[in-house]
């Protein structure tokens, strides 16, 4: 093989790969989304999920008592009907999560971000919510009053005051 052609092979291969990617992108090709785990109805007492990316995973009706989700990325996760008694969510990102009918009793939500989550029938009895961001979270009025009694702090990521995100000053 001619030495000048041999020297140009890497450039030719790079060019071919570049154009293939460009064509696939132009046609609307999207790579497969990250795998979302299914932990539905599982018993995961004291499990350690700290620091993990669990985006769009499902823990529907799972028993997660005492589990650690500190600094986990939990955007879009479903905790529908889950038992989260004494679980830790310190610094966790729970944006747009489904928390309805979950039990966050005695859970640690310090500096968690719950923005846009659905939590209408969620229980937060004895939960620690210092610095938690509840912006646009749908809560029952009785739960909202309960949370406002203990709300304090500012979320270090969003810069929002917990009491303001719960709109505590507007309660009757």
């Amino acid at each position: 093989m001619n030495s000048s052609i041999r020297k140009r092979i890497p450039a030719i291969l790079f060019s071919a790969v570049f154009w293939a990617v460009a064509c696939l992108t132009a046609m609307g090709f999207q790579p497969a989304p990250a795998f979302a785990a299914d932990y539905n109805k599982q018993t995961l007492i004291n499990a350690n999920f700290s620091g993990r990316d669990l985006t769009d995973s499902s823990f529907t009706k799972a028993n997660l008592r005492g589990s650690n989700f500190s600094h986990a990325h939990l955007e879009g996760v479903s905790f529908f009907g889950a038992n989260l008694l004494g679980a830790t969510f310190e610094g966790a990102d729970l944006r747009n999560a489904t928390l309805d009918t979950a039990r966050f009793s005695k859970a640690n939500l310090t500096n968690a971000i719950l923005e846009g989550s659905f939590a209408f029938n969620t229980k937060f009895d004895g939960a620690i919510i210092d610095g938690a961001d509840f912006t646009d979270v749908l809560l029952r009025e009785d739960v909202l009053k309960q949370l406002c009694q203990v709300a304090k702090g500012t979320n270090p990521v969003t810069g929002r005051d917990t009491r303001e995100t719960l709109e505590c000053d507007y309660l009757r």
Side-chain angles (χ1 to χ4, degrees):
M1 187 184 289
N2 187 338
S3 68
S4 66
I5 293 175
R6 227 180 295 156
K7 290 179 183 177
R8 294 190 330 194
I9 288 176
I12 292 168
L13 289 173
F14 175 77
S15 180
V17 169
F18 173 78
W19 284 109
V21 169
C23 289
L24 288 172
T25 302
M27 293 186 320
F29 174 78
Q30 296 291 324
F35 176 73
D38 179 348
Y39 298 98
N40 295 337
K41 299 182 180 178
Q42 292 190 26
T43 300
L44 300 163
I45 297 171
N46 297 320
N48 186 5
F49 294 99
S50 62
R52 294 196 34 206
D53 184 350
L54 296 164
T55 301
D56 295 326
S57 293
S58 183
F59 293 89
T60 297
K61 297 185 178 180
N63 186 355
L64 298 156
R65 191 180 43 188
S67 292
N68 185 358
F69 290 93
S70 295
H71 306 286
H73 189 82
L74 303 165
E75 189 169 355
V77 167
S78 175
F79 283 111
F80 181 84
N83 177 9
L84 297 156
L85 174 72
T88 301
F89 289 89
E90 190 168 342
D93 185 347
L94 289 150
R95 293 175 221 228
N96 302 309
T98 300
L99 311 175
D100 201 37
T101 69
R103 293 176 302 283
F104 281 87
S105 300
K106 299 181 182 175
N108 182 350
L109 293 159
T110 301
N111 297 328
I113 303 171
L114 294 93
E115 183 176 355
S117 293
F118 183 76
F120 191 72
N121 286 312
T122 304
K123 293 186 179 187
F124 292 97
D125 303 329
I128 300 167
I129 61 166
D130 300 355
D133 185 337
F134 285 88
T135 301
D136 297 328
V137 175
L138 182 60
L139 297 163
R140 282 192 344 234
E141 189 172 343
D142 61 318
V143 173
L144 185 57
K145 286 179 181 178
Q146 174 191 26
L147 292 174
C148 285
Q149 289 178 350
V150 296
K152 63 182 177 181
T154 302
N155 187 280
V157 175
T158 66
R160 296 180 188 134
D161 181 75
T162 301
R163 291 187 57 77
E164 287 178 16
T165 64
L166 287 166
E167 299 179 356
C168 294
D169 294 337
Y170 302 104
L171 284 178
R172 295 178 195 173

